[in-house]
Amino acid sequence: GAMRQLPYFCRGEVVKGFGRGSKELGIPTANFSEQVVESFPSDIPTGIYYGWACVGNGDVHKMVLSIGWNPFYKNIKKSVETHIIHTFKEDFYGEILSIVITGYIRPEKNFDSIDALILAIQEDIEEAKRQLDLPEHLKLKEDNFFHQPEGKIVNSR
Ligand code: ADP
Ligand code: MG
């Protein structure tokens, strides 16, 4: 199931996505490179997860993450996209994003409308915020993983 691989630590470059307009919906998602996605356990279920994220050696923030099928590759490859629950002054393409995935929210779903999609994501964000305040998830915010200056290791645990 989804929980067996968690917590899952991962770090890699933020690349340009395929322009599904996440930012226009008010929920930008930082996409990992194909190389990072390929390094994920192949049996990790698609769906919506939550955890902690940090850009470069910046602050650690709450995040929600989607592991989904990548339409750009005709859904034969996965995409991993992180929405950091923080307002950034600027985009951070090309920077190193470090994340730890600590919990699972729900499987992927199709929505009848954009409004239904946005509502579901807002609920995911609220759920993530609540869960991440619990001690077992909160403790990972302080993990040494986020305080390594090199920031070059992909998939270090
Ligand atoms: P793309 O299709 O290129 O991924 P998005 O509309 O999903 O475009 O926007 C993602 C980009 O927005 C990220 O790569 C990052 O540079 C920027 N960004 C700004 N704020 C955030 C945030 N809170 N969470 C994630 N990405 C953000
Ligand atoms: Mg994106």
Side-chain angles (χ1 to χ4, degrees):
M3 305 311 289
R4 201 157 41 84
Q5 295 93 343
L6 304 184
Y8 185 77
F9 294 84
C10 168
R11 144 147 76 223
E13 190 182 346
V14 175
V15 301
K16 199 95 186 108
F18 29 87
R20 283 194 298 202
S22 314
K23 204 178 284 167
E24 285 71 23
L25 302 181
I27 10 178
T29 60
N31 293 50
F32 274 127
S33 69
E34 196 186 321
Q35 185 208 343
V36 175
V37 176
E38 298 276 300
S39 72
F40 269 62
S42 56
D43 60 342
I44 198 166
T46 58
I48 309 299
Y49 294 78
Y50 58 84
W52 299 100
C54 150
V55 177
N57 44 27
D59 294 338
V60 180
H61 301 286
K62 293 176 175 177
M63 63 80 164
V64 289
L65 171 129
S66 113
I67 301 178
W69 293 105
N70 190 332
F72 186 81
Y73 291 104
K74 300 191 163 65
N75 300 323
I76 57 163
K77 290 189 180 199
K78 282 177 179 168
S79 73
V80 178
E81 307 185 21
T82 305
H83 171 68
I84 304 174
I85 305 173
H86 177 77
T87 304
F88 289 86
K89 289 205 187 76
E90 288 174 349
D91 286 350
F92 45 85
Y93 290 110
E95 299 221 37
I96 300 296
L97 174 66
S98 300
I99 63 166
V100 55
I101 307 171
T102 70
Y104 176 77
I105 300 181
R106 61 170 174 86
E108 275 189 296
K109 271 189 272 189
N110 286 317
F111 292 94
D112 295 337
S113 68
I114 293 287
D115 285 351
L117 169 65
I118 294 175
L119 192 64
I121 296 170
Q122 283 166 349
E123 285 170 1
D124 295 336
I125 290 170
E126 291 312 309
E127 173 74 3
K129 284 188 192 165
R130 278 194 299 272
Q131 293 292 333
L132 287 161
D133 281 335
L134 301 177
E136 64 167 305
H137 299 296
L138 195 54
K139 69 173 191 225
L140 283 145
K141 184 183 185 185
E142 309 302 331
D143 197 278
N144 282 336
F145 177 73
F146 290 119
H147 304 291
Q148 295 169 12
E150 294 83 1
K152 283 190 182 124
I153 310 143
V154 172
N155 255 351
S156 141
R157 301 201 54 152

